[in-house]
Amino acid sequence: MMTLTLHNTLTRKKEPFAPVDPTRVTMYVCGPTVYSRAHIGNARPAVVFDVLFRLLRHVYGANHVVYARNITDIDDRINKESKETGKPISEITSVTTQHYHDDISAIGVLAPTIEPFATQHVGEMIAMMESLITEGHAYAAEGHVLFDVTSFYAYGKFSNREKEDMIAGARVEVAPYKKNPGDFVLWKPSSDDLPGWDSPWGRGRPGWHIECSAMIEKHLGETIDIHGGGHDLIFPHHENEVAQSTCAHGGAPLARHWLHNGFLSVNADKMSKSLGNIVTVDQLLAAGHNGETIRFALLSAQYRQPLDWTQDLLAQAKSTLDRLYGTLDNLSDVDMADNATPCPNVLSALSDDLNTPRALAELSSLCKSANTSSEDSERASLKGLLLKSGGLLGLLQQDPESWLKGGSNEDDTEIDALVDARTTARANKDFAESDRIRDDLLARGITLEDGPDGTKWRRGG
Ligand code: AMP
Ligand code: ZN
């Protein structure tokens, strides 16, 4: 079996990955906070960890990988959004969750094995806080529960930070009830107008960090194989998850392998709602881009590298996919081999810390070989390698002919009808009419190709 090597934030090195139990590989990724529609930067971790999920399923077997990606539906940003818009919280979280599902499935992201919601796990969070209090790692004060950072000898080690930096970086609130300025909130009181749950400390709500620790424990166990998220989560979110879970579990590590994706930027600025430079998947789809083009663009840089989002990036992704689908279209006369597997070069690129740019380049070289091959068994085997490798990346699974036609089904039906009308006109030797239809279609950017099997059409030249 090929060795899978992944960078580990814990050691800041690439390391071979081996799960504790190869029949139950566990992965958790911090999902979206559902206060407003996710942007294409938020979609990057969804796509990156989707590729890792697909690779793990390939290596260990689809039934042996348990992937949990949560929905953070308790958060002060949601409460703020509700105050500002006058919409009920439940409406904001359910609509935003639905948008998230729509957007990421449009870019080929598989559903995770489990999708836990914070609101469904408040009982588990309270139980974890109680055990942290019993063990002397947390304390209750004025309706709050706080984690005592001095109680965990390794606090700060995960993110490699000095205490002073951590306090400044987390912008932790200085409050009279805190023992140390760096102590972070596990629970806080809710006024009547805010969502709240009954607890031993009164009506209140959990902090963000404890949500993930409790959901991981419940669904995946005390120590998981892989934990992922964007690199902005290393501190304070993951540092605090590590502190809570390690202390609640008698020192057992929370995760053995930590992966963090780099950021998506626009003109070198991070894409973020507060900078007003966000683009969402639904906007790109509405502008006529295909979900697969967006996915390809997101995978064109290795996940730890920054990725600058430009029109040119999308245009290049589209033209490469056009070439790949063009090859698959040319291979439509052969069936892929029954025992087809992904190309070893694609597997080895992905096994090298998810080197997606190299994997994509390998797809192109498979196409070059296919384009120059005239031997049917070789073409069938190349077709198998292309489709299976594409499957690992979540690409190339559409019908090549409809990809090359592009556009919506509605337009397609109309264009098909016009092409048929032209064929009839030609059969009737009404060349004035057939030329008129061809020119009309050309004006709409549709090119016709007459061949022995009839007329094919495609968008663009
Ligand atoms: P949030 O909904 O803000 O909690 O973010 C959801 C996920 O998206 C987290 O894993 C973030 O690290 C990640 N993320 C947010 N902005 C970006 C960006 N511009 N590029 C890449 N990842 C991002
Ligand atoms: Zn988390």
Side-chain angles (χ1 to χ4, degrees):
M1 196 190 289
M2 192 161 317
T3 310
L4 172 56
T5 306
L6 297 170
H7 185 270
N8 190 350
T9 308
L10 270 182
T11 56
R12 288 161 183 84
K13 287 199 300 250
K14 279 208 238 177
E15 286 177 356
F17 169 75
V20 171
D21 175 1
T23 68
R24 190 170 186 271
V25 184
T26 49
M27 171 160 89
Y28 183 88
V29 172
C30 299
T33 304
V34 284
Y35 70 105
S36 75
R37 194 161 198 141
H39 56 71
I40 191 79
N42 303 130
R44 190 177 191 197
V47 170
V48 162
F49 292 104
D50 179 65
V51 171
L52 181 54
F53 182 39
R54 289 168 188 260
L55 181 64
L56 293 171
R57 283 157 61 104
H58 173 77
V59 175
Y60 297 98
N63 296 331
H64 295 159
V65 184
V66 188
Y67 171 27
R69 189 190 61 221
N70 76 295
I71 297 283
T72 299
D73 60 348
I74 307 175
D75 189 275
D76 285 350
R77 280 180 290 178
I78 303 171
N79 304 338
K80 185 162 168 265
E81 184 77 12
S82 169
K83 273 229 167 74
E84 285 171 6
T85 59
K87 289 185 189 154
I89 282 173
S90 58
E91 183 185 325
I92 294 171
T93 56
S94 67
V95 168
T96 312
T97 303
Q98 188 57 53
H99 284 162
Y100 186 69
H101 288 158
D102 292 348
D103 288 348
I104 64 170
S105 57
I107 55 174
V109 174
L110 301 173
T113 327
I114 307 165
E115 186 176 58
F117 283 65
T119 44
Q120 308 298 314
H121 296 80
V122 176
E124 286 83 353
M125 296 172 207
I126 291 175
M128 191 177 261
M129 285 182 254
E130 286 183 308
S131 87
L132 286 170
I133 293 176
T134 310
E135 298 297 323
H137 292 293
Y139 56 95
E142 297 181 23
H144 293 71
V145 178
L146 292 129
F147 187 91
D148 179 352
V149 293
T150 61
S151 78
F152 180 43
Y153 72 99
Y155 193 72
K157 192 161 163 263
F158 179 77
S159 58
N160 205 10
R161 256 163 232 240
E162 298 298 330
K163 279 229 159 81
E164 291 67 35
D165 292 352
M166 286 193 276
I167 294 166
R171 288 190 218 111
V172 281
E173 219 182 310
V174 182
Y177 48 81
K178 282 190 183 179
K179 285 191 190 165
N180 318 290
D183 292 352
F184 58 89
V185 168
L186 304 178
W187 187 263
K188 57 183 156 189
S190 287
S191 50
D192 288 345
D193 58 331
L194 287 174
W197 289 261
D198 289 331
S199 82
W201 317 286
R203 185 175 173 278
R205 60 192 190 282
W208 173 33
H209 318 305
I210 195 80
E211 297 177 9
C212 286
S213 283
M215 290 187 275
I216 294 170
E217 177 194 71
K218 162 107 191 269
H219 295 284
L220 303 177
E222 293 192 352
T223 299
I224 61 174
D225 292 311
I226 297 175
H227 193 317
H231 79 73
D232 59 321
L233 302 187
I234 296 175
F235 185 83
H237 186 52
H238 289 163
E239 183 77 58
N240 292 353
E241 278 187 33
V242 166
Q244 297 159 161
S245 297
T246 312
C247 291
H249 300 143
L254 169 56
R256 299 167 57 248
H257 228 107
W258 287 80
L259 271 70
H260 291 98
N261 65 270
F263 260 49
L264 192 131
S265 58
V266 187
N267 302 322
D269 285 328
K270 125 179 186 180
M271 183 179 282
S272 85
K273 216 184 157 200
S274 56
L275 292 176
N277 60 359
I278 63 164
V279 182
T280 61
V281 171
D282 70 311
Q283 286 170 343
L284 293 170
L285 295 175
H289 298 289
N290 192 294
E292 191 168 340
T293 307
I294 303 170
R295 182 180 178 96
F296 192 106
L298 285 171
L299 293 176
S300 61
Q302 199 265 356
Y303 76 94
R304 295 174 57 218
Q305 303 305 317
L307 174 63
D308 203 38
W309 193 256
T310 59
Q311 274 301 324
D312 194 41
L313 181 75
L314 276 171
Q316 278 185 22
K318 166 83 167 63
S319 83
T320 308
L321 278 167
D322 284 348
R323 270 191 285 112
L324 298 176
Y325 272 115
T327 301
L328 283 172
D329 193 39
N330 292 336
L331 292 171
S332 56
D333 58 322
V334 289
D335 288 330
M336 73 166 172
D338 286 341
N339 54 356
T341 52
C343 168
N345 290 347
V346 172
L347 268 175
S348 85
L350 291 179
S351 300
D352 178 14
D353 199 24
L354 302 181
N355 193 333
T356 51
R358 215 173 89 207
L360 298 176
E362 292 294 345
L363 291 183
S364 290
S365 66
L366 285 172
C367 280
K368 276 205 192 98
S369 312
N371 292 342
T372 52
S373 169
S374 52
E375 223 267 285
D376 274 358
S377 67
E378 188 184 40
R379 294 171 70 237
S381 118
L382 284 163
K383 181 173 181 173
L385 291 173
L386 261 174
L387 288 174
K388 293 291 178 185
S389 308
L392 266 186
L393 288 153
L395 300 170
L396 302 183
Q397 307 302 301
Q398 300 188 48
D399 173 50
E401 203 182 329
S402 36
W403 171 275
L404 294 168
K405 285 176 178 170
S408 70
N409 291 340
E410 233 165 274
D411 290 349
D412 287 5
T413 315
E414 193 199 335
I415 294 162
D416 284 341
L418 286 168
V419 172
D420 285 349
R422 174 174 169 270
T423 308
T424 310
R426 269 160 45 116
N428 295 334
K429 304 219 177 330
D430 184 354
F431 297 115
E433 175 66 359
S434 72
D435 286 353
R436 188 191 63 76
I437 297 174
R438 194 198 52 216
D439 292 345
D440 272 5
L441 286 169
L442 204 58
R444 290 170 62 172
I446 310 294
T447 314
L448 302 181
E449 262 174 41
D450 295 316
D453 302 330
T455 304
K456 283 188 177 179
W457 62 267
R458 60 179 62 186
R459 289 193 166 81

